[in-house]
Amino acid sequence: MPVDGSFGVKGTTFDAPDLGQVRIREDALVVIDAEGSITQALESDDPGYAETEARLRREGSLTVLGEGQYLFPGFIDLHIHAPQWPQSGTALDVPLAEWLNTYTFPLEARYEDQRFARDVYGSLVESLLANGTTTAVYFATTHLPASRILADLCLQRGQRALVGRVAMDSPETCPDFYRDPSARAAIEDTRALIDYVNGLPGNSGLVRPIVTPRFVPSCTDELLGGLGDVVGETGAHVQTHCSESDWAHGYGLERFGRTDTATYDAFGLLTRRTVLAHSNLITLDDMDTIVAAGAAVAHCPLSNAYFANAVFPLRESLDRGLHVGLGTDISGGPATSIRRTMTDAVVASRMREDGVDATVDPSRRGVAGSRVTLAEAFWMATTGGGVALDLPVGLLSPGYAFDAMIIDTKVEDSDLLLWPSLDTGSDVFEKSMHHATRRNVVRVWVQGSEVRSVTGR
Amino acid sequence: MPVDGSFGVKGTTFDAPDLGQVRIREDALVVIDAEGSITQALESDDPGYAETEARLRREGSLTVLGEGQYLFPGFIDLHIHAPQWPQSGTALDVPLAEWLNTYTFPLEARYEDQRFARDVYGSLVESLLANGTTTAVYFATTHLPASRILADLCLQRGQRALVGRVAMDSPETCPDFYRDPSARAAIEDTRALIDYVNGLPGNSGLVRPIVTPRFVPSCTDELLGGLGDVVGETGAHVQTHCSESDWAHGYGLERFGRTDTATYDAFGLLTRRTVLAHSNLITLDDMDTIVAAGAAVAHCPLSNAYFANAVFPLRESLDRGLHVGLGTDISGGPATSIRRTMTDAVVASRMREDGVDATVDPSRRGVAGSRVTLAEAFWMATTGGGVALDLPVGLLSPGYAFDAMIIDTKVEDSDLLLWPSLDTGSDVFEKSMHHATRRNVVRVWVQGSEVRSVTGR
């Protein structure tokens, strides 16, 4: 290894600097410094390529991708409910409000038990890293100790993460067995988690706190206002749910006479570092408000098919420059990988474009022009996620953190199969996004540190 | 091994005798005879259970599932374009008619090359078996030699299959480089494949021929009528596409002044053994016609999101007793497993129920009551597929072929994770269907013969 701790990775890379375009660089040479940031990303005809490659080889610090291996940026999952991990793939049969009360709040209440929290959260962080999710934005529960454990585990395993202690204090909508005792207590615990995460030994920004009012129905005005103050004082990130379903959207309208977006804005919760999950029922005015704030939407298409009653107006949002990334919404969405979410985003956009009811005339069946491409979904899963979080992640370019994965198309017993005589670079990209599983994700780095290395050939 | 060649499998089984119900039998004992048919399926309180188990153990012919392993019926995939396997996951960006001409017909024309056919078809059969697809209904191409190769490979690998040589002779819609030279030639080759498959040495019905007019737009009246005659004479199965997209549906209406369903019926192609792929735009009258014929629909929800312009009226079809099974529609659908198709069927039904356009009032946004459950989708993927094909497959009951798989929830590096303290049997079923990959499918049998055995613990 070189004295300065730098290293290089050479091979074909896929990333998306611009919305709608996949950049394919064959035999690219990515150079990473000791802090885990990319300092150079050279193509073979760039000046210095041969010299840099030779130096890295000499120093024994060059990884050369094997045949059939490709380098991608790590995925950014903007919306994960960590405590719901044990019910992923189940409990999808009832509407949102009932889902919360019947399945989800009882499960989340169990995280009073720190041993249970450690088991579940350890499993989740491991599974997400194995799927190439290098940045994860987590809702934890109302429990401060369990929330600390999640932050600890992310730092230990080396996953970039934003960890939020959930705030929910409304006696009208939250059950007695799972509710903050008061707005003040929720605000104090939120501050305590922020201090804890920022003070974690060895944490130089890999794990960050995020202020987390659950959503409008579960928070009193006092809580929303108090959390807005915390955000104003600390500059912390914010996450919440926004206009997810007819019920949730209608609840906010009735209570405040305005949309969720406007409510969050009024309480100081809509900032450049805010992630609004879902937002399926936002209006065009809401879009303008979100754009003006520089806030972002976490689009969760699979979850939305079960709980949202409509498809997020993705095309319009992207066209207005609204920041949009993707979220699995574990466990509202029964899948673990953002790779799957990418393809679900495309499918949802196609179904929105064409409509669903065959008895309606095609001219009125759907919302014309709604579709997004797989390349656009890939941008959202990587570059767009970084933009949403205001963090230098998602691209294999100088100045970005080296958060990356190798997808291996030659793993045994895999559905990801190439036909070299037929497949173009673009085909390799599309097949990888449609057919890879965690078994194909053979190496993963976060901030230059290797957090997964398996072999399947 | 016992003298008579019988054997048993003991463990927890999941199957679906009735639409909407998953039957869970703990410690069931499934007994299979030398011909690969199930003779008994005993539960622990059934008479003879202990004696039968003891006998099988004594004879060394009992497989006992390990902890975390579960027995499921094999999946039945009613709609696969075998030659399109190399483009699975790509080429999803244009409408159906353009997709055929730009990507698909040029690819299918390559199967003139028998070596290419052998490579691709071998890979496909292997991949489907690895995913637990024990019965596959295949479109091949117009090439008789390559179609024979597909049938050979299915028999060699032990996959239950229906193999169809594609008939398409219309100079107006089929390209010069990929078209039957005449209706007569297409009919002759269809007969030749039927004779070849039925006469394959060692084939006692595992591989069957299926008459395969591509779809209304690509066939002349003479071809449709001639194939109808073949079906009348041979009683062979039939497969084709029906009212898939606005374009295809409209083409048939304009040419014949009637729907595709009525056209196939008029040409003698709608029988108890007919599988109509897609059928998204069928009318209620069409449903009655299909029910009266005892024919079936292969529902392909993922493909339909890309190419169909609407969602198949699944709920109404099931409620009328129409036979419906599931199809991946490789490569119109970019996934390999019917397990994925099951969850896509649920998602499509939910999106049809709720609608997609958030600006429309909820009362008019979707088609109320459209949803199907995961249990119903599982029925379609197994029992319903068997009903569609008029074959005794899809259930773990006496009289059915032992087409089955073991799903192992304890495979290393897998997203299928159970929490024994929380998960009910129903949860195990749902998680397996949402999260299993081929790595979890550790053993597969077709007609009692083991066709896959791997270990991942």
Side-chain angles (χ1 to χ4, degrees):
Chain A
M1 286 288 288
V3 180
D4 69 356
S6 67
F7 67 102
V9 180
K10 181 186 169 188
T12 298
T13 69
F14 295 90
D15 65 356
D18 300 306
L19 179 66
Q21 301 290 325
V22 177
R23 174 170 65 174
I24 307 176
R25 293 174 296 184
E26 291 184 18
D27 286 322
L29 184 59
V30 181
V31 185
I32 300 105
D33 68 16
E35 283 70 47
S37 292
I38 298 169
T39 55
Q40 296 180 83
L42 303 171
E43 294 191 73
S44 55
D45 55 358
D46 284 336
Y49 180 95
E51 296 79 353
T52 305
E53 182 185 355
R55 176 180 64 78
L56 291 165
R57 276 190 196 277
R58 208 163 48 234
E59 293 171 341
S61 58
L62 180 66
T63 293
V64 180
L65 270 57
E67 194 194 331
Q69 294 187 328
Y70 302 93
L71 189 70
F72 289 79
F75 290 136
I76 297 164
D77 189 337
L78 293 181
H79 191 52
I80 302 158
H81 289 276
Q84 297 171 19
W85 177 235
Q87 75 181 11
S88 174
T90 68
L92 299 164
D93 56 333
V94 292
L96 182 60
E98 192 181 339
W99 178 78
L100 289 169
N101 288 302
T102 307
Y103 301 114
T104 302
F105 289 153
L107 175 57
E108 292 197 10
R110 292 177 65 111
Y111 290 77
E112 179 76 27
D113 177 350
Q114 296 179 43
R115 177 189 297 263
F116 183 68
R118 196 174 298 278
D119 285 352
V120 172
Y121 291 164
S123 165
L124 174 60
V125 172
E126 199 63 41
S127 294
L128 290 173
L129 285 173
N131 278 285
T133 299
T134 51
T135 299
V137 184
Y138 291 116
F139 276 62
T141 61
T142 60
H143 311 94
L144 182 59
S147 303
R148 286 180 182 143
I149 287 170
L150 178 56
D152 293 347
L153 287 166
C154 293
L155 189 63
Q156 284 165 25
R157 277 299 280 119
Q159 185 179 47
R160 190 181 306 284
L162 292 92
V163 177
R165 178 231 174 258
V166 175
M168 45 190 283
D169 71 331
S170 169
E172 281 174 36
T173 55
C174 305
D176 293 340
F177 62 82
Y178 185 55
R179 184 177 70 226
D180 283 311
S182 67
R184 174 176 297 196
I187 294 161
E188 279 176 11
D189 274 6
T190 296
R191 284 188 197 276
L193 187 70
I194 292 172
D195 292 343
Y196 178 81
V197 172
N198 286 333
L200 270 175
N203 183 18
S204 51
L206 190 76
V207 181
R208 292 167 186 256
I210 183 165
V211 171
T212 307
R214 186 170 201 116
F215 66 158
V216 165
S218 62
C219 299
T220 61
D221 291 19
E222 186 187 354
L223 178 55
L224 292 170
L227 293 177
D229 293 343
V230 173
V231 171
E233 294 162 26
T234 63
H237 284 82
V238 181
Q239 65 182 344
T240 188
H241 299 84
C242 177
S243 295
E244 178 176 359
S245 67
D246 287 321
W247 164 74
H249 181 64
Y251 182 100
L253 281 177
E254 183 157 331
R255 173 164 150 204
F256 288 110
R258 62 191 176 206
T259 62
D260 286 358
T261 302
T263 293
Y264 293 131
D265 197 28
F267 283 109
L269 291 163
L270 202 70
T271 78
R272 172 67 187 90
R273 293 187 152 194
T274 294
V275 177
L276 301 171
H278 309 301
S279 309
N280 305 289
L281 295 150
I282 59 172
T283 63
L284 295 179
D285 281 351
D286 288 338
M287 285 186 202
D288 292 340
T289 304
I290 296 168
V291 169
V297 167
H299 177 39
C300 309
L302 184 57
S303 163
N304 292 347
Y306 288 99
F307 297 110
N309 312 127
V311 176
F312 171 64
L314 175 58
R315 181 77 269 158
E316 296 87 326
S317 297
L318 290 173
D319 290 348
R320 284 165 186 249
L322 197 152
H323 300 164
V324 189
L326 296 177
T328 53
D329 192 21
I330 290 167
S331 70
T336 309
S337 171
I338 281 292
R339 180 196 65 70
R340 165 69 195 259
T341 307
M342 284 174 46
T343 61
D344 288 327
V346 173
V347 164
S349 79
R350 299 288 285 255
M351 292 178 73
R352 181 169 182 260
E353 175 165 298
D354 280 345
V356 292
D357 183 354
T359 66
V360 174
D361 187 80
S363 65
R364 293 177 292 104
R365 197 182 292 153
V367 184
S370 288
R371 71 173 60 189
V372 299
T373 65
L374 191 65
E376 289 176 315
F378 178 58
W379 181 90
M380 290 190 280
T382 55
T383 312
V387 170
L389 295 172
D390 196 21
L391 293 174
V393 293
L395 274 175
L396 299 172
S397 291
Y400 283 76
F402 188 62
D403 291 11
M405 71 179 120
I406 294 176
I407 290 184
D408 189 341
T409 62
K410 288 182 174 267
V411 161
E412 288 292 311
D413 205 14
S414 155
D415 287 333
L416 172 52
L417 297 166
L418 301 186
W419 295 90
S421 64
L422 301 175
D423 288 328
T424 64
S426 170
D427 292 332
V428 172
F429 162 73
E430 291 185 53
K431 287 186 170 187
S432 296
M433 296 302 98
H434 280 291
H435 293 307
T437 69
R438 59 192 278 169
R439 298 292 193 131
N440 301 100
V441 179
V442 294
R443 290 182 77 175
V444 180
W445 292 266
V446 180
Q447 195 69 45
S449 293
E450 190 173 89
V451 294
R452 172 180 168 85
S453 177
V454 299
T455 181
R457 295 196 178 197
Chain B
M1 286 287 288
V3 180
D4 69 355
S6 67
F7 67 101
V9 180
K10 181 186 169 188
T12 299
T13 70
F14 295 91
D15 65 356
D18 300 306
L19 179 66
Q21 301 289 324
V22 178
R23 174 170 66 173
I24 307 176
R25 294 174 295 184
E26 291 184 19
D27 286 321
L29 184 59
V30 182
V31 185
I32 300 103
D33 68 16
E35 283 70 47
S37 292
I38 298 169
T39 55
Q40 296 180 83
L42 303 171
E43 294 191 73
S44 55
D45 54 357
D46 284 336
Y49 180 95
E51 296 79 352
T52 305
E53 182 185 356
R55 177 179 64 78
L56 291 165
R57 275 189 197 277
R58 207 165 48 234
E59 293 172 340
S61 58
L62 180 66
T63 293
V64 180
L65 271 56
E67 194 194 332
Q69 294 187 328
Y70 302 93
L71 189 70
F72 289 78
F75 290 135
I76 297 164
D77 189 337
L78 293 181
H79 191 52
I80 302 158
H81 288 276
Q84 297 171 18
W85 177 235
Q87 75 181 9
S88 174
T90 69
L92 298 163
D93 55 333
V94 292
L96 182 60
E98 192 182 339
W99 178 79
L100 289 169
N101 288 301
T102 307
Y103 301 114
T104 302
F105 289 154
L107 175 58
E108 293 197 11
R110 291 177 66 111
Y111 290 76
E112 179 76 27
D113 177 350
Q114 296 179 43
R115 177 188 296 263
F116 183 67
R118 196 173 299 277
D119 285 352
V120 171
Y121 291 164
S123 165
L124 174 60
V125 172
E126 199 64 42
S127 295
L128 291 173
L129 284 173
N131 278 285
T133 298
T134 50
T135 299
V137 184
Y138 291 116
F139 277 61
T141 61
T142 60
H143 310 93
L144 182 59
S147 303
R148 285 180 182 143
I149 287 169
L150 178 55
D152 293 348
L153 287 166
C154 292
L155 188 63
Q156 283 165 26
R157 277 298 281 120
Q159 184 179 47
R160 190 181 306 284
L162 292 92
V163 177
R165 178 230 173 260
V166 174
M168 46 190 281
D169 71 331
S170 169
E172 281 174 35
T173 56
C174 305
D176 293 340
F177 62 83
Y178 186 54
R179 184 177 69 225
D180 283 311
S182 67
R184 173 176 297 195
I187 294 160
E188 279 176 11
D189 274 6
T190 297
R191 285 189 197 275
L193 187 69
I194 292 172
D195 292 342
Y196 178 81
V197 172
N198 286 334
L200 269 175
N203 183 18
S204 50
L206 190 76
V207 181
R208 292 167 186 255
I210 183 165
V211 172
T212 307
R214 186 169 201 117
F215 65 158
V216 165
S218 63
C219 299
T220 61
D221 292 18
E222 185 187 355
L223 179 55
L224 292 169
L227 293 177
D229 293 343
V230 172
V231 170
E233 292 162 28
T234 63
H237 284 82
V238 181
Q239 66 181 344
T240 189
H241 300 83
C242 177
S243 295
E244 177 176 0
S245 67
D246 288 320
W247 163 73
H249 181 64
Y251 182 99
L253 281 177
E254 183 156 333
R255 173 164 151 203
F256 287 110
R258 63 190 177 208
T259 62
D260 287 358
T261 302
T263 293
Y264 293 131
D265 198 27
F267 283 108
L269 291 163
L270 202 69
T271 78
R272 172 67 186 89
R273 293 186 152 194
T274 294
V275 177
L276 300 171
H278 310 301
S279 308
N280 305 290
L281 295 150
I282 58 172
T283 64
L284 294 179
D285 281 351
D286 287 339
M287 285 186 202
D288 291 340
T289 304
I290 297 168
V291 169
V297 167
H299 177 40
C300 309
L302 184 57
S303 163
N304 291 349
Y306 288 98
F307 297 110
N309 312 128
V311 176
F312 172 64
L314 175 58
R315 181 76 271 157
E316 296 87 326
S317 298
L318 290 173
D319 290 348
R320 284 165 185 249
L322 197 151
H323 300 164
V324 189
L326 296 177
T328 53
D329 192 21
I330 290 168
S331 69
T336 309
S337 171
I338 281 292
R339 180 196 64 70
R340 165 70 196 259
T341 307
M342 285 173 46
T343 61
D344 288 327
V346 173
V347 164
S349 79
R350 300 287 285 254
M351 291 178 73
R352 182 170 182 260
E353 175 166 299
D354 280 346
V356 292
D357 184 354
T359 66
V360 174
D361 187 80
S363 65
R364 294 177 292 105
R365 198 183 292 154
V367 184
S370 289
R371 72 174 59 190
V372 299
T373 64
L374 191 64
E376 289 176 315
F378 178 58
W379 181 91
M380 290 190 280
T382 54
T383 312
V387 170
L389 295 173
D390 196 21
L391 294 174
V393 293
L395 275 175
L396 299 172
S397 291
Y400 283 78
F402 188 63
D403 291 12
M405 70 180 122
I406 294 176
I407 291 184
D408 189 340
T409 62
K410 289 182 173 267
V411 162
E412 287 291 313
D413 205 13
S414 155
D415 287 334
L416 172 52
L417 297 166
L418 301 186
W419 295 89
S421 64
L422 301 175
D423 288 328
T424 64
S426 170
D427 292 333
V428 172
F429 162 73
E430 291 185 53
K431 287 186 170 187
S432 296
M433 296 302 97
H434 279 292
H435 293 308
T437 69
R438 60 192 277 169
R439 298 292 192 130
N440 301 100
V441 179
V442 295
R443 290 181 78 176
V444 180
W445 293 265
V446 181
Q447 196 69 46
S449 293
E450 189 173 271
V451 294
R452 173 180 168 86
S453 177
V454 298
T455 180
R457 294 194 177 198

